Amino acid sequence: MGVSYEVYAYKNGNWNIDSVYDDRDMAMHEARMLLESRYVSGAQVIEEKYDDETGDTFSKIIFKERKGAEKRKAAPRQKPQAKVAPAKAKPPPKKKEEKEFVRYMVILVLSVGGIALGLIVGLAFLIESLG
Amino acid sequence: MADEPPRGMERRLVHRVLHHWRGAEEERGIPSLKSFLARDLGDMRPALFVLKVADDLEEPEVAHIGQSFLDEVSNDLVGKPISAVPDGTLLKQALAFYSRVVAKKVPITLGDEFVNARGQTILYRSIILPLSEDGEEINFLLCAANCKVKEEES
């Protein structure tokens, strides 16, 4: 099976073939060099495998980078990893909230109760003094 | 600065030639022979040869042969078709894929090995680059090649 590496340059909104290599390292090096040119805004390397027996050609992008875009690595593509369900948010600390609530209610009852008791005593004292 | 060029003298030649070709190319598409040769090519010149391509030619003609090829072939080949280049020479091997360059209009580099007239196994790497007077039609092919004798495996 024959292998060649085609380097493409992105110029004026189009991918154009730039050069052809029989050596992966040379192609990768040239693609990176191309990216330094002010006339080029992206570079990619396509690996072409040709099966002499069947005549089939297999192409695969092994490097692709655009200036200003997020850099992609030169390594072969990896299989997408299985999706992982997002971690559930931590449950709120219920016990602590409940304790705060109970404490609040006790204070409220005692306060209202105290005021009511004061009013009743005051009222009784007033009736006693008037009567 | 980009990565260092791949190791090996044969690869360095290819990258240097390509670098100069790009330098001559950048403002007008495919560079001309004149603009390429006007550059400071230094010690690369002996490793270069040039083929002339024209519609009225059945096959390219040898237009120039660098000094480093003259151990194997004679300067008399200049002006003759490439079929006159003897087999078992670096020159013959280095130009073998010229038609792909004419078709694609881009530089192509290949490395391989062959057995020369002395029976030695030669490792070589060559590059062929298109040259054009008008930036589009191919008029010349610039070729560069170097080689070394393959060491016997013990």
Side-chain angles (χ1 to χ4, degrees):
Chain A
M1 185 173 283
V3 183
S4 67
Y5 300 89
E6 295 187 342
V7 174
Y8 285 76
Y10 194 73
K11 289 181 187 175
N12 305 321
N14 292 308
W15 285 105
N16 299 308
I17 187 166
D18 172 83
S19 45
V20 182
Y21 303 82
D22 62 340
D23 183 294
R24 181 189 169 109
D25 290 345
M26 293 182 74
M28 297 290 283
H29 174 75
E30 276 307 318
R32 291 189 177 108
M33 291 294 287
L34 267 181
L35 286 169
E36 295 197 351
S37 166
R38 62 193 164 111
Y39 298 98
V40 171
S41 54
Q44 67 176 337
V45 180
I46 295 180
E47 182 185 73
E48 292 251 340
K49 288 185 176 174
Y50 179 76
D51 190 324
D52 299 324
E53 292 180 1
T54 64
D56 293 335
T57 303
F58 307 95
S59 300
K60 175 171 78 170
I61 297 173
I62 59 171
F63 175 85
K64 187 173 183 179
E65 195 168 314
R66 294 273 296 277
K67 285 179 186 171
E70 187 182 346
K71 289 191 174 184
R72 296 186 192 182
K73 72 290 170 219
R77 288 179 179 177
Q78 294 180 340
K79 281 185 181 178
Q81 292 184 341
K83 284 187 178 176
V84 178
K88 286 181 181 174
K90 273 187 177 180
K94 281 185 179 175
K95 281 190 175 178
K96 195 176 179 182
E97 274 188 9
E98 282 172 1
K99 275 185 181 177
E100 287 289 320
F101 180 74
V102 170
R103 188 178 164 210
Y104 173 77
M105 289 304 290
V106 168
I107 292 171
L108 185 67
V109 167
L110 288 177
S111 303
V112 172
I115 292 168
L117 188 64
L119 285 173
I120 292 168
V121 170
L123 193 61
F125 182 75
L126 188 64
I127 292 168
E128 185 74 21
S129 60
L130 289 176
Chain B
M1 182 70 190
D3 304 355
E4 288 297 307
R7 294 177 185 277
M9 63 95 178
E10 72 284 357
R11 288 178 172 181
R12 283 196 294 273
L13 172 70
V14 164
H15 282 288
R16 287 171 64 200
V17 172
L18 198 50
H19 171 75
H20 280 284
W21 185 84
R22 289 198 201 288
E25 161 206 29
E26 286 184 326
E27 290 178 5
R28 57 177 297 279
I30 301 172
S32 67
L33 179 60
K34 189 178 174 184
S35 64
F36 180 85
L37 294 178
R39 297 179 66 87
D40 182 12
L41 301 174
D43 60 356
M44 285 186 292
R45 285 186 184 272
L48 303 178
F49 63 97
V50 178
L51 305 177
K52 184 181 178 185
V53 182
D55 288 341
D56 59 340
L57 295 174
E58 280 189 22
E59 56 179 313
E61 279 181 3
V62 178
H64 168 79
I65 303 175
Q67 192 69 34
S68 63
F69 300 98
L70 296 178
D71 288 344
E72 289 186 319
V73 298
S74 158
N75 233 340
D76 295 343
L77 280 172
V78 173
K80 293 184 178 170
I82 57 171
S83 54
V85 178
D87 291 334
T89 61
L90 176 60
L91 198 66
K92 185 76 169 186
Q93 293 295 320
L95 57 77
F97 54 95
Y98 82 88
S99 58
R100 288 179 62 194
V101 179
V102 174
K104 286 185 178 275
K105 295 186 176 183
V106 295
I108 298 180
T109 177
L110 286 178
D112 204 348
E113 61 181 54
F114 70 99
V115 178
N116 69 7
R118 296 174 200 156
Q120 298 168 306
T121 300
I122 305 295
L123 296 171
Y124 73 96
R125 176 157 290 281
S126 67
I127 183 168
I128 302 179
L129 311 101
L131 296 169
S132 171
E133 297 306 310
D134 63 6
E136 289 187 14
E137 186 184 355
I138 308 302
N139 307 110
F140 292 96
L141 296 173
L142 176 80
C143 316
N146 55 10
C147 66
K148 61 184 178 184
V149 177
K150 186 178 182 181
E151 291 177 14
E152 295 294 325
E153 291 178 11
S154 55

